[in-house]
């Protein structure tokens, strides 16, 4: 007896625009561990397009997000057991172009989704359906919420103890995650101070509600804080590290809280760490009953979907600005295509971006008609 081949769901393995999914694609792969992204990462031209398993989606990426920690990942700092070659990129937005049978209970071909999963710097990524977030449309603004927005929301909610009138200092305030820390602290009726590196960034920060901007290229942050906030600040949302960490620590008020969400100043060093004056840390904390706490999004995944739903609603209501920087003002123009991820990482470390850096992946549709 011949087996009957059930083709009833074969449409799930076809691109919704009527073109076949190609057999090969471009993707970025870490081929050598290094804090120098260009040395660590290789653009592979003809990797096989992965096939989704039963509970998976195959997503054609349209926008991918750049994160400061891409460099930590390519340097092997997150998991020493992972050896090259391995895929890179943390987050993407795109359309479902194929899916497994059980995944088809909740998703359809053509649906817009976002996800956080290693391997987004590729034309196609397999994403477990349970990790995907359905979206109303494919828009880069949604990408800003996946890692950057969720980090700001959960860290301030869990560790910030925000309430009306508190003074909140946000470092790198015009960056991908800083923009959300500023807005969320304002929504909690706090007084928000933001550090940035240009007057243009200062203007953007004022437009999203920042009460006081400090341009650290033209002003002495320490003396401005000492003069304008002699009692100190209640909460610091800190992502820079090094000297900025030291002066933020000194600026804490009694019972102040310093939340560390990163230390970008050191990521390009061989150790990944910027030097800080730690020998005085116990005395400084004791003297003010202050605290320093780290926040890493991976440790809060049980609350992640709730946070994201909340942020998506805020954005759709018009209560949240999701600033995207495509690098239009960068020397070689807009970040388009996987090859421009290298430029986008450089641009971030030069401190040029306003908002979240996003790379667009245009796709050609090879119609069979």
């Amino acid at each position: 007896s011949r087996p009957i081949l059930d083709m009833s769901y074969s449409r799930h393995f076809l691109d919704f625009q009527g073109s076949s999914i190609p057999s090969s694609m471009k993707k970025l792969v870490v081929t050598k561990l290094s804090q120098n992204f260009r040395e660590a990462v290789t653009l592979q031209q003809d990797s096989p397009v992965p096939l989704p398993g039963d509970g998976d989606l195959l997503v054609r990426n349209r926008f991918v997000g750049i994160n400061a920690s891409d460099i930590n990942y390519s340097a092997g700092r997150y998991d020493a057991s992972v050896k090259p070659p391995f895929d890179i990129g943390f987050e993407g937005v795109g359309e479902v172009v194929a899916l497994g049978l059980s995944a088809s209970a909740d998703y359809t071909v053509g649906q817009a989704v976002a996800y956080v999963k290693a391997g987004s710097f590729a034309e196609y990524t397999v994403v477990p359906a349970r990790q995907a977030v359905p979206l109303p449309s494919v828009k880069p603004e949604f990408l800003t919420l996946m890692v950057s927005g969720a980090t700001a929301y959960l860290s301030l909610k869990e560790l910030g103890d925000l309430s009306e009138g508190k003074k909140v200092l946000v470092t790198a305030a015009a960056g991908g995650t800083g923009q959300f820390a500023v807005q969320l602290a304002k929504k909690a009726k706090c007084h928000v101070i933001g550090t940035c590196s240009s007057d243009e960034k200062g203007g953007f920060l004022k437009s999203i509600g920042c009460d006081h901007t400090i341009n650290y290229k033209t002003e002495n942050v320490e003396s401005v804080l000492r003069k304008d906030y002699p009692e100190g600040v209640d909460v610091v949302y800190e992502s820079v590290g090094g000297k900025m960490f030291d002066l933020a620590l000194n600026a804490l008020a009694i019972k102040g809280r310093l939340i560390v969400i990163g230390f970008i100043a050191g990521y390009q060093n061989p150790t990944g760490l910027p030097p800080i004056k730690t020998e005085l840390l116990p005395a400084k904390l004791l003297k003010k009953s202050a605290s320093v706490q780290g926040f890493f999004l991976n440790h809060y995944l049980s609350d992640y979907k709730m946070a994201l739903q909340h942020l998506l609603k805020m954005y759709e209501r018009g209560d949240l600005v999701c600033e995207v920087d495509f690098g239009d003002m960068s020397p070689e123009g807009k970040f388009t295509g996987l090859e421009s991820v290298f430029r986008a990482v450089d641009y971030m470390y030069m401190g040029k971006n306003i908002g979240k850096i996003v790379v667009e992946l245009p796709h050609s549709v090879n119609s069979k008609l």
Side-chain angles (χ1 to χ4, degrees):
S1 61
R2 279 188 318 163
I4 296 170
L5 188 62
D6 179 5
M7 294 296 288
S8 62
Y9 73 104
S10 63
R11 66 185 179 83
H12 291 309
F13 293 94
L14 279 182
D15 180 6
F16 73 102
Q17 286 189 339
S19 65
S20 295
I21 295 164
S23 56
S24 66
M25 66 173 186
K26 292 180 189 172
K27 72 172 179 175
L28 295 186
V29 178
V30 176
T31 47
K32 170 191 168 189
L33 296 183
S34 169
Q35 75 279 0
N36 180 328
F37 192 82
R38 287 179 181 270
E39 274 181 23
V41 179
T42 305
L43 174 61
Q44 294 190 348
Q45 297 283 353
D46 53 359
S47 296
V49 172
L51 281 175
D54 182 56
D56 296 333
L57 312 173
L58 180 65
V59 178
R60 179 168 57 200
N61 293 314
R62 290 278 302 282
F63 300 102
V64 294
I66 304 294
N67 292 285
S69 44
D70 289 326
I71 278 187
N72 287 336
Y73 200 59
S74 64
R77 290 182 186 136
Y78 284 158
D79 185 351
S81 69
V82 178
K83 300 285 180 267
F86 55 86
D87 297 348
I88 190 166
F90 291 127
E91 53 184 344
V93 164
E95 303 103 348
V96 175
V97 292
L99 68 171
L101 188 55
S102 46
S104 68
D106 299 304
Y107 289 90
T108 57
V109 167
Q111 190 160 357
V113 293
Y115 64 89
V116 175
K117 177 184 178 282
S120 71
F121 292 164
E123 291 178 314
Y124 294 84
T125 302
V126 167
V127 179
R130 67 178 186 281
Q131 287 178 24
V133 178
L135 297 175
S137 61
V138 174
K139 278 172 75 174
E141 285 78 8
F142 293 126
L143 193 55
T144 67
L145 303 174
M146 299 302 292
V147 170
S148 302
T151 294
Y153 178 84
L154 284 169
S155 62
L156 290 173
K157 180 175 179 288
E158 298 295 323
L159 311 177
D161 192 27
L162 300 185
S163 58
E164 187 170 352
K166 284 201 173 170
K167 298 177 195 73
V168 178
L169 171 65
V170 180
T171 64
T177 179
Q179 64 171 330
F180 294 111
V182 168
Q183 293 178 80
L184 293 167
K186 276 310 292 175
K187 300 228 175 295
K189 300 184 174 167
C190 298
H191 175 90
V192 183
I193 309 130
T195 69
C196 61
S197 60
S198 71
D199 292 342
E200 190 192 357
K201 290 185 180 189
F204 165 68
L205 288 173
K206 289 199 168 79
S207 78
I208 59 170
C210 196
D211 297 289
H212 188 165
T213 62
I214 307 173
N215 180 344
Y216 64 81
K217 291 277 175 77
T218 58
E219 299 174 83
N220 182 309
V221 179
E222 196 154 16
S223 48
V224 170
L225 289 172
R226 201 178 297 129
K227 175 175 153 288
D228 293 346
Y229 305 95
E231 300 292 305
V233 296
D234 302 296
V235 179
V236 182
Y237 182 88
E238 217 296 273
S239 62
V240 177
K243 289 182 181 144
M244 190 63 85
F245 174 89
D246 287 332
L247 69 86
L249 181 68
N250 291 340
L252 281 179
I254 304 292
K255 297 184 184 173
R257 300 156 174 264
L258 194 156
I259 304 168
V260 177
I261 64 119
F263 32 91
I264 191 172
Y267 291 172
Q268 290 178 298
N269 297 349
T271 60
L273 296 166
I276 58 169
K277 297 174 180 151
T278 49
E279 65 276 6
L280 297 173
L281 186 64
K284 285 180 177 176
L285 295 178
L286 180 66
K287 194 171 148 194
K288 293 178 174 175
S289 294
S291 66
V292 175
Q293 239 177 313
F295 177 90
F296 189 46
L297 186 60
N298 290 15
H299 300 147
Y300 290 83
L301 293 181
S302 57
D303 298 319
Y304 178 74
K305 282 235 159 136
M306 170 276 296
L308 205 55
Q309 242 77 61
H310 184 80
L311 291 165
L312 283 166
K313 282 196 187 105
M314 283 178 76
Y315 172 65
E316 283 164 3
R317 283 200 310 263
D319 288 344
L320 202 59
V321 173
C322 298
E323 189 69 17
V324 172
D325 191 332
F326 279 119
D328 295 298
M329 306 307 288
S330 68
E332 293 168 61
K334 186 174 175 178
F335 303 133
T336 306
L338 284 172
E339 44 289 331
S340 70
V341 167
F342 298 98
R343 283 199 300 121
V345 169
D346 289 344
Y347 179 74
M348 175 171 45
Y349 278 91
M350 288 188 287
K352 299 291 189 193
N353 59 300
I354 295 181
K356 173 88 180 181
I357 302 176
V358 173
V359 174
E360 183 171 8
L361 306 185
H363 55 274
S364 55
V365 175
N366 306 316
S367 177
K368 295 180 300 181
L369 300 174

